[in-house]
Amino acid sequence: MTNQDDLFKKIVAHAKEYGFIFPSSEIYDGLAAVYDYGQLGVELKNNIKQAWWRSMVQLHENIVGLDSAIFMHPRIWKASGHVDAFNDPLIDNRDSKKRYRADVLIEDHIAKIEDKIEKEVEKGRKRFGDSFNEKQFRATNQRVIEHQHQIDEIHEKYADCMNRNDLDGLKQMILDLGIVCPRSGTRNWTDVRQFNLMFATKMGSVIDDSDTLYLRPETAQGIFVNFLNVQKSGRMKIPFGIAQIGKAFRNEIVARQFIFRMREFEQMEMQFFVRPGTELEWFNHWKEERLQWHLSFGIPAENYRYHDHEKLAHYANAATDIEFRFPFGFKELEGIHSRTDYDLSRHSEFSGKKLQYFDSEINESYTPYVIETSIGVDRTFLAIFSNSFKEEKLEDGSLRTVLSLPVRLAPYKIAVLPLVKKDGLPEKAREIVSILKNDWMVQYDEKDAIGRRYRRQDAIGTPYCITVDNNTLDDETVTIRHRDNMLQERVNISQLPSFFREKIK
Ligand code: GAP
């Protein structure tokens, strides 16, 4: 097990132990890739959604919100292409009866070769010490070059099969690469088949094909089909955006990595409608603006990178992912896509309703082009949570686990702790809670020694602890302890609101 695997396990355990995330239906042995957010998880998640909504809707006068239904007319998914093309290639192992995504088996194989490269680099680093030049080593070491060559060859074949939808080709690659089932260890594979990721359900009492509904696999289509409703009722002028936060459902074949890939998850999406011909300008605008939003949480910039798509979906003319360095490597966190007029045109065609906009500035009607920004709430939660999780060795040799969450996202901003449970200190502490609780989430805690209570607040990410002691009763002052540097300062109770207004912006 690598250090990163070990760290990830600790993060998952911490999330459960402190009431952030529980496996769903746990007392019935859980439900794969479905999770429940506990008492602190729901606060952190709501704060993330609030931060996105504020930055996208409330701070942009040309972006408005929407909350469309999860159930939608089934033809919507025909028009959007999801019925015919929202598929993953799956393959079964006949011995273990386990099901896998064929593309993931190949990607995992590539990851193993990448691991070999990293091991060579580590060996080099140890051998050459301070004089080690990693760039030069990667470019000249024979074994590294051979491994990289292997990876490039596999990538090329794999991309070709995926682009041509060549399922036999994918199976042949799995056989040629000698990929075995991780469970049974055999190569007894079935053919590769396409598997549609949408969950289907029935509406009403008549069991008939025409009643089949899908649980939406993205929130975006609810925005497209309401384009005219919002534009007309809100008298919106192009360029303008419609944003929504909501649940999405995908029957993921390979559900791994905790809340990174779930079957029920939440998205925050915004569709920005623009005049045709201006879309690439807006694409670049949103690409930059969305990255700035991520950076506003104070997470170091080196943890984010763009991954521009070279191969584009047939309806897109530009696409990029913002990737984040999760404990298991760089992975997609958000997608920004220039989707042309594909979605509105398809819905026009399938519904028979004209979805156009009259642009009075140029005296022309047209189907607007769309820039989409689409981000997973759960992936953002995982990015922020895992980046905040730290184990620190203190000067006295003890270990402290701290969740250094961005202050504005922390579930509780302040904890109020009477030093002892007597002498009128709890009553004084309760008075302070009453002063602060209308403006901030405040927790009162009187159990255990003060040191343990500080540790508990560190572990859930509370940025400030207020300690009430005997001096408080005499001079109306309290100690404020800061989570990140553990420094303490003395503040007058009457100054607390202005102190926190300044700190928690
Ligand atoms: N409307 C475009 C769209 O849905 P996507 O790349 O399929 O694009 C957008 O999804 C975002 O939704 C991803 O970047 C990711 O953050 C999140 N997401 C997608 N599938 C997910 C899953 N199974 N579990 C958790 N989050 C997911």
Side-chain angles (χ1 to χ4, degrees):
M1 192 189 290
T2 66
N3 283 345
Q4 287 309 92
D5 291 339
D6 201 29
L7 171 68
F8 191 45
K9 280 201 166 156
K10 282 185 185 170
I11 289 168
V12 175
H14 191 85
K16 178 162 183 238
E17 185 182 347
Y18 286 94
F20 284 91
I21 298 175
F22 308 124
S24 165
S25 323
E26 196 183 10
I27 59 169
Y28 290 92
D29 295 334
L31 187 63
V34 186
Y35 290 90
D36 297 337
Y37 285 80
Q39 65 278 17
L40 294 183
V42 67
E43 297 293 340
L44 174 52
K45 194 182 187 205
N46 282 343
N47 290 345
I48 290 172
K49 290 195 275 188
Q50 176 57 26
W52 184 87
W53 193 259
R54 177 139 187 79
S55 107
M56 297 299 273
V57 179
Q58 295 172 341
L59 294 179
H60 283 101
E61 55 184 71
N62 60 345
I63 301 183
V64 292
L66 178 75
D67 184 10
S68 69
I70 288 174
F71 289 142
M72 291 195 274
H73 196 285
R75 273 171 66 75
I76 286 175
W77 304 110
K78 196 79 188 147
S80 68
H82 284 83
V83 170
D84 298 314
F86 194 52
N87 298 321
D88 274 343
L90 71 81
I91 188 165
D92 294 311
N93 181 271
R94 292 197 185 89
D95 298 321
S96 66
K97 310 268 182 291
K98 286 292 263 181
R99 179 161 288 177
Y100 300 93
R101 261 173 67 175
D103 54 334
V104 171
L105 284 178
I106 295 170
E107 276 168 14
D108 284 353
H109 184 81
I110 292 174
K112 279 189 192 145
I113 309 176
E114 280 170 345
D115 274 353
K116 286 185 190 165
I117 294 183
E118 294 315 309
K119 282 199 182 118
E120 290 298 334
V121 173
E122 263 327 291
K123 271 200 258 169
R125 199 188 308 280
K126 280 200 186 123
R127 194 167 351 124
F128 295 110
D130 285 346
S131 61
F132 182 62
N133 179 335
E134 184 175 333
K135 205 166 165 198
Q136 190 184 359
F137 184 85
R138 285 182 188 270
T140 54
N141 179 277
Q142 204 46 41
R143 269 191 229 126
V144 171
I145 293 173
E146 276 165 26
H147 288 320
Q148 192 54 52
H149 181 65
Q150 247 181 318
I151 291 175
D152 294 342
E153 244 182 2
I154 299 172
H155 256 307
E156 197 178 321
K157 266 197 205 158
Y158 163 66
D160 182 51
C161 289
M162 293 296 281
N163 284 338
R164 289 189 299 109
N165 211 1
D166 178 2
L167 302 183
D168 292 341
L170 279 180
K171 177 173 181 187
Q172 197 54 49
M173 280 192 75
I174 289 171
L175 295 176
D176 293 346
L177 293 170
I179 296 176
V180 297
C181 164
R183 182 66 68 88
S184 67
T186 73
R187 295 174 196 179
N188 194 3
W189 296 112
T190 61
D191 286 342
V192 177
R193 282 162 297 142
Q194 289 290 25
F195 176 78
N196 192 289
L197 296 184
M198 284 196 295
F199 283 101
T201 186
K202 295 276 177 194
M203 187 176 230
S205 53
V206 186
I207 305 294
D208 178 313
D209 251 7
S210 60
D211 304 319
T212 297
L213 290 190
Y214 297 102
L215 298 190
R216 66 180 180 199
E218 60 172 21
T219 62
Q221 299 304 323
I223 296 180
F224 293 127
V225 299
N226 277 296
F227 164 72
L228 270 192
N229 281 338
V230 174
Q231 191 271 317
K232 287 199 182 315
S233 61
R235 294 179 299 132
M236 305 301 292
K237 268 178 146 345
I238 266 178
F240 75 90
I242 306 177
Q244 100 162 311
I245 300 178
K247 288 266 182 168
F249 304 84
R250 296 184 189 177
N251 199 359
E252 300 282 359
I253 303 164
V254 182
R256 292 188 302 191
Q257 292 157 332
F258 193 35
I259 55 169
F260 180 81
R261 196 176 300 286
M262 301 158 88
R263 296 199 166 105
E264 174 180 339
F265 58 101
E266 229 171 330
Q267 288 184 317
M268 305 186 280
E269 298 200 294
M270 193 277 296
Q271 312 295 327
F272 198 70
F273 300 93
V274 303
R275 190 183 287 169
T278 63
E279 71 275 11
L280 293 182
E281 226 172 278
W282 282 110
F283 171 77
N284 287 327
H285 168 88
W286 282 111
K287 188 175 157 178
E288 177 57 27
E289 180 136 347
R290 291 304 305 145
L291 183 62
Q292 288 310 319
W293 182 78
H294 290 282
L295 296 178
S296 74
F297 293 113
I299 296 175
E302 67 259 23
N303 289 323
Y304 296 91
R305 71 180 186 198
Y306 289 121
H307 170 220
D308 293 329
H309 293 205
E310 280 147 31
K311 298 245 181 316
L312 294 170
H314 61 279
Y315 53 78
N317 63 5
T320 197
D321 294 336
I322 295 177
E323 294 187 338
F324 181 77
R325 195 201 302 267
F326 288 97
F328 37 83
F330 269 104
K331 298 266 179 209
E332 175 186 340
L333 175 58
E334 169 156 13
I336 296 131
H337 303 132
S338 172
R339 301 178 66 109
T340 67
D341 60 354
Y342 176 79
D343 304 274
L344 290 182
S345 301
R346 291 278 290 185
H347 287 303
S348 257
E349 184 188 332
F350 277 69
S351 66
K353 308 279 179 337
K354 207 161 149 192
L355 298 179
Q356 288 212 326
Y357 171 79
F358 177 72
D359 191 331
S360 54
E361 275 177 33
I362 54 171
N363 217 14
E364 232 180 75
S365 281
Y366 53 76
T367 307
Y369 272 39
V370 172
I371 308 301
E372 169 183 77
T373 71
S374 173
I375 175 171
V377 178
D378 313 271
R379 274 190 203 177
T380 311
F381 187 111
L382 183 58
I384 288 169
F385 194 84
S386 57
N387 181 77
S388 304
F389 179 85
K390 293 184 184 95
E391 286 180 324
E392 290 176 355
K393 195 151 191 187
L394 301 181
E395 272 173 14
D396 64 2
S398 65
L399 203 67
R400 141 173 127 125
T401 303
V402 57
L403 210 53
S404 57
L405 293 169
V407 172
R408 69 181 153 134
L409 298 183
Y412 287 105
K413 309 295 186 229
I414 304 159
V416 182
L417 319 171
L419 191 61
V420 289
K421 239 194 295 181
K422 54 181 187 181
D423 302 337
L425 299 191
E427 291 75 10
K428 192 72 190 164
R430 291 274 185 205
E431 268 176 39
I432 295 174
V433 171
S434 313
I435 296 172
L436 302 175
K437 73 177 181 192
N438 281 333
D439 293 309
W440 297 286
M441 280 286 285
V442 184
Q443 189 173 60
Y444 172 83
D445 186 9
E446 59 176 26
K447 273 189 232 113
D448 299 324
I450 191 75
R452 288 188 68 174
R453 278 182 275 165
Y454 283 153
R455 289 288 177 277
R456 213 156 43 220
Q457 295 300 330
D458 289 344
I460 64 171
T462 308
Y464 303 102
C465 288
I466 297 177
T467 310
V468 176
D469 55 26
N470 284 316
N471 288 340
T472 309
L473 302 180
D474 298 333
D475 63 6
E476 288 284 305
T477 64
V478 289
T479 301
I480 296 182
R481 174 193 180 265
H482 296 247
R483 175 194 69 197
D484 295 333
N485 54 17
M486 295 185 287
L487 292 179
Q488 305 194 355
E489 60 185 306
R490 206 72 192 170
V491 175
N492 197 287
I493 293 174
S494 63
Q495 301 298 315
L496 288 175
S498 58
F499 177 92
F500 289 119
R501 254 196 304 279
E502 174 58 28
K503 297 281 181 200
I504 309 170
K505 287 216 172 104

